[in-house]
Amino acid sequence: MFTGLIEHLGTISSIARDDAGCTLTITNSANILGDCHIGDSIAVNGACLTVTQFHPSENGGWFQVWLANETLSRTDLGERNQGDQVNLERAMGAHVRFGGHFVQAHVDTTATLVSSTPDGDSLRLTLELEEPTPERPSLLPYIIEKGYITLDGASLTITNVDDQKRQFSIMLITHTQEKITLSRKKLGEKVNVEVDMVGKYVEKSVLASLGGMESPLTQLVEKIVVKILKEKGLLPTNA
């Protein structure tokens, strides 16, 4: 479990790829390695990864993690290059204050950065989700204005949602811009997305209480939802 409060920016010093996945070596990370052990979890750009090797002081402190192909397909980490910085957070300790929100560091998908607009000292960013597929349904039901979202491992507040465009926006204050990599990403780059897991649990609990997907009550609710989506133009009228 993580909080979404980024502790440190590490630097990718080497990338070793093969057919099974990829090994990343991340340096300049001494600040988070003082209590590290082999097998510990560290969130790298929001993806929970297992430390396979580390040294607390060499090259500013370094550690290695292994990325399976599933992780590479779900995240932006397969597109990172040597020298790139990444957001780092250790797993949450029971003794620390909980300042962000419940983050599993299980990335759901990626979104594309489509707009970056200064607003005083702050920065407004808009991101666009990928087209949903049967294997990866839309995440929009879990993205609500003023709700939580995790982007590249950082806990952020959603400022706007446009369901028709599959877009949502967030704002970065000056302090946050300096502490995470998101403010430095260019338009068109991918960002790792993890929606608030509480919404998923609520959805599953509601469906269970309705008696499953085939119950009469569930079918009635489904008809109402489809009707509303058609009225809003989110579904074709002949669907």
Side-chain angles (χ1 to χ4, degrees):
M1 184 67 69
F2 302 83
T3 67
L5 299 182
I6 302 304
E7 294 185 273
H8 188 68
L9 296 180
T11 303
I12 297 175
S13 63
S14 72
I15 304 171
R17 292 185 173 90
D18 59 32
D19 291 340
C22 158
T23 295
L24 295 182
T25 303
I26 300 173
T27 57
N28 300 323
S29 304
N31 287 0
I32 64 165
L33 297 178
D35 58 353
C36 186
H37 300 86
I38 299 296
D40 280 358
S41 295
I42 295 179
V44 179
N45 268 14
C48 180
L49 302 174
T50 300
V51 176
T52 57
Q53 295 186 55
F54 79 99
H55 195 285
S57 58
E58 286 181 358
N59 297 321
W62 61 267
F63 67 96
Q64 284 188 346
V65 289
W66 167 255
L67 287 73
N69 287 325
E70 165 69 9
T71 305
L72 293 173
S73 71
R74 289 270 184 176
T75 72
D76 77 328
L77 292 174
E79 300 179 4
R80 296 300 93 210
N81 299 308
Q82 188 173 343
D84 285 353
Q85 287 192 306
V86 286
N87 298 326
L88 303 177
E89 183 191 356
R90 291 169 291 184
M92 182 177 67
H95 62 288
V96 300
R97 294 181 66 183
F98 185 41
H101 75 279
F102 288 115
V103 175
Q104 293 178 296
H106 297 163
V107 175
D108 291 298
T109 189
T110 57
T112 302
L113 182 63
V114 295
S115 174
S116 177
T117 307
D119 185 348
D121 290 336
S122 299
L123 191 63
R124 292 185 181 272
L125 302 180
T126 298
L127 300 101
E128 184 173 303
L129 291 167
E130 299 174 347
E131 286 272 8
T133 66
E135 295 77 22
R136 297 184 185 178
S138 174
L139 296 176
L140 285 168
Y142 314 111
I143 299 177
I144 60 171
E145 188 171 330
K146 299 305 178 183
Y148 291 121
I149 197 163
T150 308
L151 300 179
D152 280 351
S155 173
L156 298 166
T157 302
I158 299 161
T159 59
N160 185 65
V161 182
D162 187 328
D163 289 321
Q164 290 186 318
K165 293 182 177 179
R166 305 192 315 278
Q167 294 180 354
F168 62 93
S169 302
I170 56 95
M171 175 177 277
L172 302 179
I173 63 172
T174 302
H175 174 81
T176 307
Q177 292 175 49
E178 296 170 351
K179 297 296 182 181
I180 67 176
T181 60
L182 185 55
S183 60
R184 306 167 200 174
K185 285 198 167 180
K186 299 176 181 178
L187 298 185
E189 285 197 84
K190 291 183 178 179
V191 177
N192 297 329
V193 177
E194 179 188 335
V195 296
D196 188 1
M197 66 178 178
V198 174
K200 295 180 180 181
Y201 284 124
V202 170
E203 178 186 52
K204 187 170 183 177
S205 297
V206 170
L207 289 176
S209 68
L210 292 174
M213 294 302 296
E214 300 304 322
S215 74
L217 183 55
T218 301
Q219 293 172 15
L220 175 61
V221 171
E222 182 178 304
K223 289 180 180 179
I224 294 172
V225 171
V226 169
K227 180 176 181 293
I228 293 172
L229 291 176
K230 286 181 178 179
E231 290 174 351
K232 290 188 174 183
L234 298 176
L235 279 179
T237 55
N238 60 353

